[in-house]
């Protein structure tokens, strides 16, 4: 099932809210990163910059057929053969990726879902030991131009608690101005 309040404004507006390449580098993605799983790729805002940074494949998972076909079409046009768009409900069916197969898992603007423990457990399962989980989310601030309602919007402390309960360690926290925070954890 689609997670609550997971709609986005038009792509042009959505993409004014971030500097995706800078965010990915800040959150530890590099040319040494091999395979990546992205939970909820949306328009591919972070998928395309990630594909250009890493040396392996990015598995870009989303439940929306139009978004998956849009990301696939754009990847073909740009000859980015290392983007693998995956149409899948990751809450109902998991990622479908093997245990301990990924170097990095992206949880971007997604942890306002009902049951974050389920997604963090799946992220833990597919990450290699020493792999990174990167989280970004909207600041818990009513003046942000978008974002889920404050009642369900996670604070950095919530993400820290959930990730530590899922056995992640080594948290590092970042201020991703103007509207977001980021946290990385290690498996
Ligand atoms: C708020 S958007 C964030 C998109 C992207 N991570 C970004 O930050 O630009 C959330 C995305 O998650 C997808 N999504 C929601 N529930 C899902 C589910 N159960 N399985 C797979 N994708 C899901 C939505 O279709 C949407 O594209």
């Amino acid at each position: 099932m689609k997670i609550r309040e997971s709609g986005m404004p038009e792509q042009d507006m959505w993409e004014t809210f971030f500097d995706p390449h800078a965010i990915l580098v800040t959150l530890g993605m590099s040319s040494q990163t091999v395979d990546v799983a992205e939970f909820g790729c949306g328009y591919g805002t972070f998928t395309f910059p990630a594909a250009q940074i890493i040396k392996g494949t990015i598995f870009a998972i989303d439940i929306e057929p139009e978004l998956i076909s849009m990301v696939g079409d754009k990847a073909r046009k740009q000859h980015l053969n290392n983007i693998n768009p995956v149409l899948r409900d990751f809450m109902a069916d998991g990622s479908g990726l093997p245990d301990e197969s990924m170097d990095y898992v992206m949880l971007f603007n997604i942890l306002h879902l009902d049951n974050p423990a389920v997604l963090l457990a799946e992220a833990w399962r597919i990450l290699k030991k020493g792999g990174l989980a990167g989280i970004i989310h909207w600041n818990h601030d009513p003046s942000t131009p978008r974002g889920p309602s404050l009642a369900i919007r996670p604070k950095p402390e919530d993400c820290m608690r959930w990730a530590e309960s899922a056995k992640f360690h080594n948290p590092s926290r970042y201020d991703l101005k103007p509207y977001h925070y980021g946290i990385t954890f290690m498996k």
Side-chain angles (χ1 to χ4, degrees):
M1 194 208 300
K2 196 164 174 177
I3 71 156
R4 59 191 180 177
E5 297 191 37
S6 63
M8 290 170 290
E10 293 298 312
Q11 185 173 4
D12 284 353
M13 174 185 272
W14 182 251
E15 295 187 347
T16 63
F17 299 141
F18 324 93
D19 180 344
H21 178 87
I23 288 178
L24 291 165
V25 171
T26 300
L27 298 190
M29 196 173 280
S30 77
S31 58
Q32 296 312 303
T33 307
V34 189
D35 292 328
V36 174
E38 182 180 21
F39 287 93
C41 65
Y43 298 123
T45 306
F46 294 90
T47 317
F48 288 86
Q52 289 167 309
I53 294 173
I54 63 173
K55 62 177 171 187
T57 296
I58 177 163
F59 297 86
I61 307 169
D62 208 283
I63 198 171
E64 288 287 354
E66 309 83 67
L67 293 174
I68 287 298
S69 96
M70 199 187 96
V71 167
D73 289 347
K74 190 170 160 192
R76 274 185 295 281
K77 278 192 196 119
Q78 296 190 6
H79 305 291
L80 283 169
N81 303 324
N82 65 338
I83 295 180
N84 187 344
V86 181
L87 178 62
R88 194 171 177 98
D89 178 343
F90 55 64
M91 292 311 289
D93 304 323
S95 64
L97 295 167
D99 290 353
E100 307 208 339
S101 57
M102 296 290 122
D103 297 276
Y104 199 108
V105 170
M106 293 160 64
L107 300 161
F108 285 14
N109 297 305
I110 200 88
L111 278 186
H112 53 283
L113 72 178
D114 271 316
N115 196 344
V118 169
L119 197 51
L120 286 163
E122 179 64 357
W124 170 268
R125 183 186 71 73
I126 63 177
L127 269 176
K128 295 176 188 164
K129 193 162 168 32
L132 287 181
I135 293 171
I136 78 164
H137 221 309
W138 291 92
N139 291 335
H140 202 271
D141 171 352
S143 70
T144 54
R146 296 286 303 196
S149 37
L150 288 182
I152 64 163
R153 200 185 291 194
K155 297 181 177 146
E157 299 70 39
D158 298 321
C159 299
M160 295 273 204
R161 206 177 55 251
W162 297 332
E164 280 164 7
S165 299
K167 300 189 285 191
F168 285 101
H169 61 91
N170 267 27
S172 300
R173 202 167 140 174
Y174 305 91
D175 184 0
L176 306 174
K177 286 184 189 313
Y179 304 123
H180 287 73
Y181 64 86
I183 313 179
T184 55
F185 294 94
M186 191 174 282
K187 172 167 174 178

